[in-house]
Amino acid sequence: MFIGIDIGGTTIKYGLVDDQGRVSTKNSVQTSHIKDDLIHQLVTIIDNYKDEEIDGVGISAPGIIQKNGLMTTAGSIHSLYGTNLKMVLEEKVNLPISIINDANAVAIAEKWIGNAKDFENYLCVVLGTGIGGGIVIDGKLFSGAHGMAGEFGWMLIDRLPKEDIEKVSYNQRAAVVGGLCHQYNLKKHLENLEAEDVDVYDAFEIMNRAKNGEKVAQSVLEQFYTDLSVGLMNLMCNFDPEAILIGGGISENEEFSNQLKQRLEELLSKHESFHRLKNIIQIPIIPTKLQNDAGMIGAVYTLKQFL
């Protein structure tokens, strides 16, 4: 039996994961962004399972994570930057620890018991506040020379502005919160500079407003699907995957999936080289299966491979 822990910027999810990837006794706590407090939270979670026969602890976390457990970055949890979390925890709990980037955990969990079981070469794009990614080649995660591979959200997809060029990154144009919701709120403020409390951070609220005829919502959604599709096309020609899995809560929405596939097909048909190969090379866009448990499951799978 293993302990699976998924560290998020807001919540730490955890539970027991067996050899078949089944999760039980799940729970969660609010994430502390103070380093010592966060480490104490993790040690407490692990100690709470001391009556179980635990073989190790698999942890998924945001950021660029080295194979030795050094956290080069940690998303919004700035206090963990530069911390070797694996080493710190192993000294405190005397159990094998494995730490993996959260999007990579989703990708490899899908290979184990999810929608990528039949693929050896595929990509996983996780849509949330930003965009995370996982690259699986020959059935194994590819993390790059510095643990940075799969940071799809950093890609630039538009003409560069003179100032901060990250404004046209995949994160700020095609993520859910940092992209769709951010762009919607910008346009709503421009529409009425004196408007108050117009900020919306729910993709489905924007989709509903578009259905009800709101022009700003319709315009932003149209651009969102276009930007997301452009990024997927770039990934297709760079990696030639068997499939691209889309994760994050929005991926469960049928309307989102249908609209994305429709826009992607439209753009592929307008790209001469892609269009020429449409009957020869097909790369399906598939939602992930495991959703909220994927981080825990993927982290444990990685630990199992190490052990």
Side-chain angles (χ1 to χ4, degrees):
M1 191 70 74
F2 302 88
I3 300 172
I5 300 176
D6 183 8
I7 303 174
T10 303
T11 304
I12 300 173
K13 293 175 288 190
Y14 60 93
L16 289 177
V17 183
D18 67 16
D19 280 330
Q20 305 302 313
R22 293 183 291 250
V23 182
S24 61
T25 65
K26 294 187 291 185
N27 210 329
S28 64
V29 295
Q30 186 174 350
T31 306
S32 172
H33 283 231
I34 300 171
K35 180 178 175 179
D36 289 344
D37 292 346
L38 175 53
I39 291 172
H40 178 71
Q41 285 182 307
L42 297 174
V43 171
T44 300
I45 289 169
I46 296 167
D47 285 346
N48 283 341
Y49 291 108
K50 62 184 178 183
D51 293 335
E52 305 284 345
E53 292 187 11
I54 302 299
D55 296 312
V57 183
I59 299 175
S60 72
I64 298 171
I65 303 171
Q66 306 296 319
K67 293 179 180 178
N68 65 358
L70 176 66
M71 303 191 71
T72 304
T73 66
S76 65
I77 311 174
H78 294 163
S79 64
L80 286 183
Y81 282 41
T83 301
N84 191 313
L85 191 58
K86 170 182 167 68
M87 184 182 300
V88 170
L89 289 177
E90 284 184 338
E91 290 178 354
K92 291 180 178 293
V93 301
N94 196 31
L95 283 169
I97 304 285
S98 175
I99 301 179
I100 183 176
N101 166 270
D102 48 9
N104 284 346
V106 174
I108 205 64
E110 291 293 324
K111 173 64 177 171
W112 186 17
I113 57 172
N115 285 339
K117 287 189 291 185
D118 297 329
F119 302 133
E120 291 297 310
N121 299 280
Y122 63 93
L123 304 176
C124 186
V125 178
V126 182
L127 306 176
T129 301
I131 295 181
I135 304 166
V136 177
I137 299 174
D138 295 332
K140 297 179 180 179
L141 276 170
F142 176 75
S143 57
H146 309 96
M148 192 171 66
E151 288 289 347
F152 299 149
W154 293 6
M155 295 191 303
L156 305 176
I157 60 170
D158 208 341
R159 183 173 297 174
L160 302 184
K162 292 182 180 180
E163 62 277 6
D164 180 11
I165 65 175
E166 201 165 0
K167 288 183 178 179
V168 294
S169 69
Y170 213 28
N171 273 336
Q172 295 191 29
R173 294 287 291 274
V176 175
V177 177
L180 172 61
C181 298
H182 173 65
Q183 295 298 327
Y184 176 80
N185 291 327
L186 284 178
K187 287 203 171 186
K188 287 295 286 184
H189 281 293
L190 287 174
E191 183 185 55
N192 184 357
L193 296 177
E194 297 180 357
E196 295 181 0
D197 300 326
V198 300
D199 290 351
V200 175
Y201 293 101
D202 184 345
F204 302 119
E205 172 64 21
I206 297 173
M207 293 168 73
N208 285 333
R209 293 185 182 193
K211 285 180 186 176
N212 292 330
E214 186 189 295
K215 298 298 182 184
V216 172
Q218 291 172 347
S219 172
V220 170
L221 264 179
E222 182 177 348
Q223 189 63 50
F224 167 70
Y225 288 122
T226 296
D227 292 338
L228 186 52
S229 296
V230 167
L232 294 179
M233 290 172 66
N234 288 335
L235 293 174
M236 286 177 176
C237 60
N238 276 287
F239 291 98
D240 184 26
E242 294 173 79
I244 298 179
L245 276 67
I246 306 293
I250 197 170
S251 68
E252 298 182 85
N253 183 271
E254 186 175 355
E255 179 185 351
F256 162 79
S257 295
N258 291 338
Q259 290 294 326
L260 174 60
K261 290 176 183 178
Q262 180 178 329
R263 181 57 51 82
L264 180 58
E265 286 299 321
E266 290 173 0
L267 295 184
L268 289 171
S269 69
K270 294 178 180 179
H271 190 293
E272 183 178 348
S273 296
F274 268 120
H275 184 64
R276 189 183 301 120
L277 296 173
K278 70 173 185 176
N279 294 322
I280 302 172
I281 297 176
Q282 296 182 350
I283 302 173
I285 306 298
I286 303 170
T288 55
K289 176 182 179 180
L290 302 174
Q291 296 300 330
N292 286 333
D293 291 341
M296 290 184 282
I297 294 169
V300 166
Y301 179 80
T302 303
L303 176 65
K304 280 169 51 67
Q305 298 298 103
F306 174 76
L307 294 177

